[in-house]
Amino acid sequence: NSVKFNPMRLSEKLIRAVRDTFDTLLFFATMAVKEDFRNHVARAGADICPSRRVAILGNGPSLGEQLPRLIERREWEQTDVMAVNFFALGEEFEVVRPKFYVISDPMFFRAAGRSQRVEALYKALAERVDWPMTLYVQYYNPERFDYAEAIGHNPNIRIVRFHTTVFHGFRSVEFWCYRHGLGSGNFGTVVQNCEFIAMLLGYRTIDLYGVDHTLLEGLTVDDENRLCRIKSHYYDSAPAVAEPIYVNATTPPRPYTMSSYLAETAELFRGHEVLRDFANEQGVRIINRTRGSMIDAYEREPLP
């Protein structure tokens, strides 16, 4: 039987090839202007044992239940720990003594997002860290925020930058970039940046804790047509209430619309699929240990 020629399918492939070519070239042009082409994470390296696992501690509410059990089992004696965001403000910080710390939200380096809580975090890192720790921060830093000064030039903390320019284009080129520490698959949360960094460091097993990702729960629209959401973190003591959601570090603050928030959330979950595919190519296991997590991209093995 002869194969029927399908001009529509051919035109779709051509359009896709043209678009991927343009997006790939745009990515490299953006990297050249905004960042650079060095694999800072790999160049800095880390003292890791290939047989050890790395535990990434998200800040979802489930971590409040999981963390005491991890501490009781002295999990960090067999596992390297990577913490994020405001973990350093909790009393568990000096018990767990994370080897790695990652911050990537614009509020940590843009003037528009600064707050007393952010200042308290840097003070905690400056005063409480008396063990060797690597702090990973975004390479993109348009306001030239001085992280070393913010943490009081603590000699125990090494600061390493990682790339975050989103890649769109040919999949083969995309994974080549990731292997060389370049770009991002729209890793819209700090946990996703942690996974990427852990793979660049050479870990073969990555355990995720406190990654609830319940980003669609508690969505409401108030009387001023502002999209609001109930945000809940493991370190919150007061009852969570619905608050307006604003786009990161904009001046003046710009609230999300329902359509923009849902589109961004969909891209965030797509980022997990990209990380899953990259991990599979690299022979890395990413295990979601968070019961009730909304992430469906990884194998699940909830903490008993």
Side-chain angles (χ1 to χ4, degrees), residues 34 106 109-111 138-145 147 164 249:
K34 291 177 59 177
F109 61 87
R110 300 294 292 266
Q138 281 202 47
Y139 183 98
Y140 181 61
N141 184 7
E143 298 175 12
R144 300 186 182 279
F145 177 74
Y147 290 99
T164 53

Side-chain angles (χ1 to χ4, degrees), residues 87-119:
F87 186 80
L89 297 180
E91 60 185 29
E92 303 90 351
F93 180 58
E94 290 171 274
V95 177
V96 175
R97 297 166 71 90
K99 185 171 186 171
F100 309 110
Y101 209 100
V102 183
I103 53 177
S104 60
D105 193 293
M107 68 178 168
F108 294 114
F109 61 87
R110 300 294 292 266
R114 300 306 292 277
S115 66
Q116 289 185 345
R117 191 173 184 80
V118 172
E119 299 298 337

Side-chain angles (χ1 to χ4, degrees), residues 70-137:
L70 295 174
I71 291 174
E72 184 181 0
R73 290 162 48 176
R74 303 183 70 84
E75 190 75 17
W76 64 92
E77 292 181 358
Q78 295 81 36
T79 305
D80 294 331
V81 175
M82 188 177 285
V84 305
N85 292 356
F86 295 107
F87 186 80
L89 297 180
E91 60 185 29
E92 303 90 351
F93 180 58
E94 290 171 274
V95 177
V96 175
R97 297 166 71 90
K99 185 171 186 171
F100 309 110
Y101 209 100
V102 183
I103 53 177
S104 60
D105 193 293
M107 68 178 168
F108 294 114
F109 61 87
R110 300 294 292 266
R114 300 306 292 277
S115 66
Q116 289 185 345
R117 191 173 184 80
V118 172
E119 299 298 337
L121 168 69
Y122 287 126
K123 184 178 180 182
L125 293 174
E127 298 176 355
R128 301 179 71 182
V129 179
D130 59 3
W131 64 90
M133 190 179 82
T134 303
L135 173 65
Y136 293 97
V137 302

Side-chain angles (χ1 to χ4, degrees), residues 78 83 88-89 149 155 195 201 220:
Q78 295 81 36
L89 297 180
E149 183 178 351
E195 294 171 58
L201 290 173
T220 60

Side-chain angles (χ1 to χ4, degrees), residues 167 169-179 281:
F167 182 94
F170 293 106
R171 171 52 64 93
S172 58
V173 178
E174 179 179 23
F175 281 5
W176 181 90
C177 289
Y178 296 162
R179 286 193 295 272
E281 189 206 58

Side-chain angles (χ1 to χ4, degrees), residues 158-213:
R158 181 177 57 159
I159 299 172
V160 177
R161 298 178 293 178
F162 62 92
H163 294 292
T164 53
T165 297
V166 177
F167 182 94
H168 292 292
F170 293 106
R171 171 52 64 93
S172 58
V173 178
E174 179 179 23
F175 281 5
W176 181 90
C177 289
Y178 296 162
R179 286 193 295 272
H180 291 81
L182 307 178
S184 158
N186 196 30
F187 308 146
T189 68
V190 66
V191 164
Q192 291 167 306
N193 289 320
C194 288
E195 294 171 58
F196 187 45
I197 290 167
M199 283 190 273
L200 291 177
L201 290 173
Y203 286 99
R204 313 309 293 173
T205 305
I206 302 171
D207 296 303
L208 305 180
Y209 298 93
V211 292
D212 302 67
H213 268 40

